[in-house]
Amino acid sequence: AEAFNAAAAASAPLNAYCALTPEKALEMADAADARLAAGDAPALCGIPLGIKDLFCTLGVQSQAASGILENFIPPYESTVTTKLWEQGAVMLGKLNMDEFAMGSSNETSVYGPAISPWRRAGANTALTPGGSSGGSAAAVSASICMAATGTDTGGSIRQPAAFTGIVGLKPTYGRCSRWGVVAFASSLDQAGPMTKTVRDAAIMLGAMAGHDPKDSTSADMPVPDFEAALTGDIRGKRIGIPREYRVEGMSEEIDRLWREGAEKLRDAGAEIVDISLPHTKYALPAYYIIAPAEASSNLARYDGVRYGHRAKLAPGDGILDLYEKSRAEGFGREVQRRVMIGAYVLSSGFYDAYYLKAQKVRTLIKRDFETVFADGVDAILTPATPSAAFGIGEMADADPVQMYLNDVFTVTVNLAGLPGISVPAGLDSAGLPLGLQLIGKPWGEAELITVAG
Ligand code: GLN
């Protein structure tokens, strides 16, 4: 109880948690003690975790940081969190995030932004921990939990991990069940671990992964011993450096850390090769068509009738007024923007020009990766983000496209369904962390962990 209170106090200024669950934590910690006393020590026994608010947790408010899910308390538990509890983990609470995981700065949350524990040297400007898993990143980075769950649709695990100097792993699409995870863009969403070390990510992924008959896109693939992949031996691995990722406006510091990262891998015996992923420049536009299209469809269920926020009606209002008013009041601006973009690109007059075209581009992006892997490349090294963390409000007030540009290095991986990991690369001249990303082959998380470790 004391440790819990200390964590809660430390967390408050960061706005990392949107709900704390002290009773649940104590109950789970007692259960973990009992298991240990009985000689049963599962992988995560007694490990305190924070859970992104996108995961439904039995009897605990789960709002996806949205007003539309006001007071929603799920009568069920997501598959991924069920697996974590089976391994003995302890829940501290629910973590702040961008509303419905739409954002790169945690500023679209109904709970207000999460704040990074990091500051620029000599300055006191509050910085974003990134998003959408911003609460997860802030909490892990500030040691308010040992590790956290995140979800990644276009970079929401890897970008906040990079901004806060931690490790974030987005698994292959289908590796972790999406059952009980509030849907954003179903063909892109994946849950994954956010941790301090690659070893922790390996252990936690082992607990989260596995086939689930309740999610038809979850793959029936064996879950390897990811921790055993930390051999430290990367001799002979071919690491690709994609020339298209050297984008305009990227800071010299990121470029330098990227080169240093490649040199480190070479010194450890890997072979560094230049590669080309020619369709990279079309990834962001394709993502910002496909993700809103799927979101507009997924979010159609929030109608003010079945659960969550219901608007007060005026005399004479009908069912359409109920839908319109509830959705207008419940959804924030960014979510409304995406629902409108999605409905537009799916509408009969524009479907071929936008949605269908974006799907074709997606296939080309996937083929780019298939080609380099078929040429013998084992993993691809890129920066995780084009810049270090920015200040709260610095980007949110700008053109939304500026915010979308943050995802330039991460969205390709979701479009192709591949695993990617962001690892701390060092600090910039202002003392802020920067991350490097490694991209692996489908189901190649173990190999990725070997190289990242
Ligand atoms: N920043 C991206 C977006 O806003 C990615 C979000 C995510 O991965 N959930 O869509």
Side-chain angles (χ1 to χ4, degrees), residues 52 54 97-98 100-105 131-133 151-160 184-185 188-190 287-288 291-292 334 338 403-404 406-407 410-411 414:
K52 188 177 183 181
L54 204 63
M97 54 179 280
D98 279 296
F100 283 106
M102 298 177 192
S104 306
S105 65
S132 64
S133 310
T151 63
D152 191 314
T153 304
S156 280
I157 287 178
R158 292 159 287 155
Q159 182 256 22
F184 163 13
L188 301 162
D189 299 343
Q190 257 300 288
Y287 172 84
Y288 277 99
E334 181 62 23
R338 306 248 186 148
M403 191 72 91
Y404 299 168
N406 241 278
D407 306 326
T410 47
V411 292
N414 301 74

Side-chain angles (χ1 to χ4, degrees), residues 9-34:
S11 141
L14 304 180
N15 199 21
Y17 284 88
C18 49
L20 288 163
T21 51
E23 292 88 17
K24 209 146 184 158
L26 290 180
E27 194 184 296
M28 288 169 132
D30 284 343
D33 280 345

